[in-house]
Amino acid sequence: MIRKCLFPVAGYGTRFLPATKSMPKEMLPVVNKPLVQYGVEEAMEAGMTNCAFVTGRGKRAIADHFDISYELEHQIAGSNKESLLTSIRDVIDRGTFTMVRQREMLGLGHAILTGESLIGPEAFGVVLSDDLCLNEEGPGVLAQMAELYRQFRCSIVAVQEVPESEIHKYGVIAGEAMKDGLYRVDRMVEKPDAADAPSNLAIIGRYILTPDIFDILRETPPGANGEVQITDALQAQARAGCVMAYRFKGQRFDCGSIPGFVEATNHVYHHVYGRD
Ligand code: UTP
């Protein structure tokens, strides 16, 4: 059973400036719930109630969101507004929330390594909450991956087919198909040109990682953009042992980009809240 989930939330969110000048991008609401709460709810559904955040300067609102707001709760107690806090109260009651700061933004791989002190020697989930994943037909994406981890006991990355014109934005896998939607990874390339991409299967922001990834990350030199890339560490892990890629069931919205964020907002408003 995987108990812990890491949320790297230290990035600057420059694509959303000026909104993210003094507010974390992970607190942007899709309709009335911040992105990071969708991610935490997905992790908890998968049994990962121990939530570890890798934060940075200017991210205090995230810590406050997962704590009681005494004055506010007192103010609306007994009014018809109280029910609006039910979902976050439930999350707070079920989980524990720990934070560590990434002092320099040296990349996602570095952010994950910074989380080591909160995770320790056990397998863990990783959620990039700017990827909003929804599965209205069944279990959430992380729950689907946790189930696979029980069978395979190795690192698993979530992948999605993307059009050729988008492939240069992602880490891309090459691998052998094992069964429908499941691949054993041979190779991974971070942000390839379309012509060099080994497939159209792009890694999105959900991972299950085994703890040997920390030693590998410590030895991983900065790659694309001078950042320590998790893709490079996963490539080393695949070479030494096994990494699986999983084409998940459900939908994913790239809420780190403005079009994806707008699409997610429309989707949630219509399908989740049932509004026209
Ligand atoms: P992004 O590539 O989306 O970067 O990071 P960003 O800074 O958040 O956003 P833009 O591109 O400037 O608009 C992917 C994820 O990795 C985290 C981010 O918080 C985001 O969840 N991250 C990235 C870190 O925690 N630390 C880093 O050094 C880099």
Side-chain angles (χ1 to χ4, degrees):
M1 177 80 167
I2 300 177
R3 300 176 304 130
K4 295 185 180 175
C5 189
L6 194 67
F7 294 82
V9 293
Y12 292 121
T14 52
R15 281 169 288 174
F16 275 89
L17 285 169
T20 46
K21 182 164 173 260
S22 63
M23 182 180 88
K25 134 173 116 168
E26 298 76 13
M27 288 301 294
L28 289 171
V30 170
V31 185
N32 61 349
K33 195 191 287 183
L35 275 170
V36 66
Q37 189 182 331
Y38 287 93
V40 166
E41 288 176 357
E42 186 187 326
M44 288 191 172
E45 184 211 354
M48 303 173 199
T49 52
N50 187 323
C51 301
F53 295 90
V54 180
T55 71
R57 286 176 290 282
K59 299 280 179 167
R60 239 177 238 165
I62 297 175
D64 288 341
H65 189 69
F66 294 100
D67 195 357
I68 290 170
S69 169
Y70 202 76
E71 194 178 315
L72 172 69
E73 301 212 9
H74 178 75
Q75 197 67 36
I76 65 172
S79 80
N80 59 0
K81 302 256 172 59
E82 220 182 340
S83 63
L84 296 174
L85 287 179
T86 307
S87 72
I88 185 63
R89 270 202 199 131
D90 183 48
V91 162
I92 293 170
D93 287 346
R94 287 168 59 206
T96 57
F97 304 90
T98 54
M99 322 269 153
V100 63
R101 279 207 189 196
Q102 185 189 18
R103 286 188 294 274
E104 289 176 288
M105 305 320 146
L106 300 179
L108 177 58
H110 179 263
I112 292 174
L113 183 56
T114 305
E116 182 182 16
S117 57
L118 303 179
I119 299 292
E122 55 188 286
F124 60 103
V126 176
V127 167
L128 305 186
S129 38
D130 43 3
D131 271 340
L132 174 61
C133 292
L134 299 172
N135 183 21
E136 283 132 32
E137 316 277 287
V141 175
L142 216 49
Q144 295 169 39
M145 294 169 76
E147 181 55 38
L148 285 173
Y149 177 77
R150 274 189 276 278
Q151 292 174 45
F152 293 99
R153 302 274 156 184
C154 67
S155 290
I156 305 171
V157 298
V159 292
Q160 176 183 27
E161 288 176 345
V162 299
E164 210 179 289
S165 58
E166 298 274 303
I167 205 87
H168 65 281
K169 299 179 185 166
Y170 293 91
V172 180
I173 68 137
E176 180 197 339
M178 295 185 54
K179 55 181 182 181
D180 195 31
L182 196 62
Y183 304 81
R184 193 185 165 112
V185 175
D186 299 325
R187 205 153 60 84
M188 293 184 175
V189 194
E190 185 61 31
K191 302 190 171 61
D193 291 335
D196 303 330
S199 74
N200 64 348
L201 293 170
I203 304 173
I204 62 114
R206 297 291 182 276
Y207 306 78
I208 286 183
L209 300 176
T210 51
D212 53 311
I213 199 76
F214 293 126
D215 281 338
I216 300 173
L217 278 168
R218 250 185 290 281
E219 302 298 320
T220 304
N225 305 333
E227 297 186 334
V228 178
Q229 300 290 345
I230 186 64
T231 314
D232 292 341
L234 282 163
Q235 162 84 65
Q237 210 179 29
R239 226 180 285 127
C242 176
V243 173
M244 312 284 276
Y246 172 56
R247 194 154 42 76
F248 58 91
K249 298 187 177 70
Q251 268 176 293
R252 167 249 176 193
F253 299 92
D254 174 13
C255 291
S257 76
I258 289 176
F261 184 86
V262 172
E263 205 189 321
T265 302
N266 284 325
H267 178 89
V268 171
Y269 189 63
H270 294 301
H271 291 87
V272 182
Y273 289 85
R275 304 282 165 80
D276 293 330

